[in-house]
Amino acid sequence: MPKRPPKDAAELIPDRPSLGSVRAAAKSCQACDLWRRGTQTVFGEGGRKAELMFVGEQPGDAEDMAGRPFVGPAGKLLDRVLEEVGIDRAVVYVTNVVKHFKWEPRGKRRIHKKPNAGEIAACRPWLDTEIELVKPRAIVCLGATAAQALLGRQFRLTAHRGDFVPSSLAPIVLATVHPSSILRSPDDETRRRERAAFAADLRQVAEALRARR
């Protein structure tokens, strides 16, 4: 009888994990049904000792095709803002709460669809392992889904955006908007305002990290 694929992501994590071995193990994850729709697992990326970790919701269309996180339009905006506030992308680790692209068809396009609580829970062992291995000094949650996954379902981004949140996850933890929300702004003025607020949030993190060195 063929061996059944593990239904719990924790079963796939090696006994002595490294980022490389965990990334390889995640390629065969079938802990939820999203693997049926996504092109591939999109695991986190960055330095083993990165001091800053960004956690988003899930890979988008560009990330699903490339197999790398934050390489689409939102990732490019993140790169520009990081440069603006003096954070070197080379010393940052970027990942997502969910490692497969959840989408629905709209004509010829694949449109992002928000992951549900079961899908987020199924993928959580991968994120927990990334945090444990990298041990970042700061974690920035990008968007409400990531913030509630890491800080609790009661967390409200509208109320606590840009606040430093006490957490056992890292010495510095902050939640802000996902850069994709800036790109969806209805007009140029709103986009400029939201981009400036996003930069201010990341500048706070950069200053807090410098103060702890």
Side-chain angles (χ1 to χ4, degrees), residues 35-69:
W35 68 274
R36 299 180 187 277
R37 305 214 73 185
T39 304
Q40 57 194 315
T41 303
V42 181
F43 202 73
E45 185 174 274
R48 167 69 178 82
K49 299 293 185 181
E51 65 176 5
L52 172 56
M53 178 182 285
F54 286 96
V55 181
E57 179 188 280
Q58 65 167 336
D61 184 77
E63 290 78 11
D64 177 66
M65 299 304 295
R68 298 178 59 203

Side-chain angles (χ1 to χ4, degrees), residues 113-127:
K113 188 174 182 180
K114 183 178 178 179
N116 62 40
E119 292 156 350
I120 291 169
C123 219
R124 184 60 187 263
W126 300 118
L127 178 58

Side-chain angles (χ1 to χ4, degrees), residues 8 12 35 52 56 59 63 69 85 88 133 150 171 193 209 213:
D8 186 336
L12 290 172
W35 68 274
L52 172 56
E63 290 78 11
V85 303
D88 184 357
L133 290 171
L150 286 177
R193 185 171 64 248
L209 281 170
R213 287 177 184 149

Side-chain angles (χ1 to χ4, degrees), residues 111-191:
I111 303 300
H112 159 276
K113 188 174 182 180
K114 183 178 178 179
N116 62 40
E119 292 156 350
I120 291 169
C123 219
R124 184 60 187 263
W126 300 118
L127 178 58
D128 287 341
T129 302
E130 288 174 292
I131 293 171
E132 182 180 342
L133 290 171
V134 176
K135 294 181 174 60
R137 292 198 294 136
I139 293 176
V140 175
C141 302
L142 297 172
T145 298
Q148 291 185 351
L150 286 177
L151 303 175
R153 296 187 69 177
Q154 78 289 346
F155 185 88
R156 293 292 175 264
L157 185 60
T158 51
H160 300 291
R161 172 187 176 170
D163 295 345
F164 290 115
V165 182
S167 172
S168 60
L169 295 170
I172 301 167
V173 176
L174 178 143
T176 185
V177 298
H178 195 287
S180 63
S181 70
I182 302 171
L183 298 176
R184 294 194 301 269
S185 297
D187 53 67
D188 289 343
E189 178 57 34
T190 304
R191 190 174 298 111

Side-chain angles (χ1 to χ4, degrees), residues 93-108:
Y93 189 94
V94 291
T95 191
N96 288 291
V97 170
V98 171
K99 311 301 190 198
H100 283 105
F101 179 35
K102 184 176 183 179
W103 57 276
E104 57 187 6
R106 189 174 300 169
K108 295 184 178 180

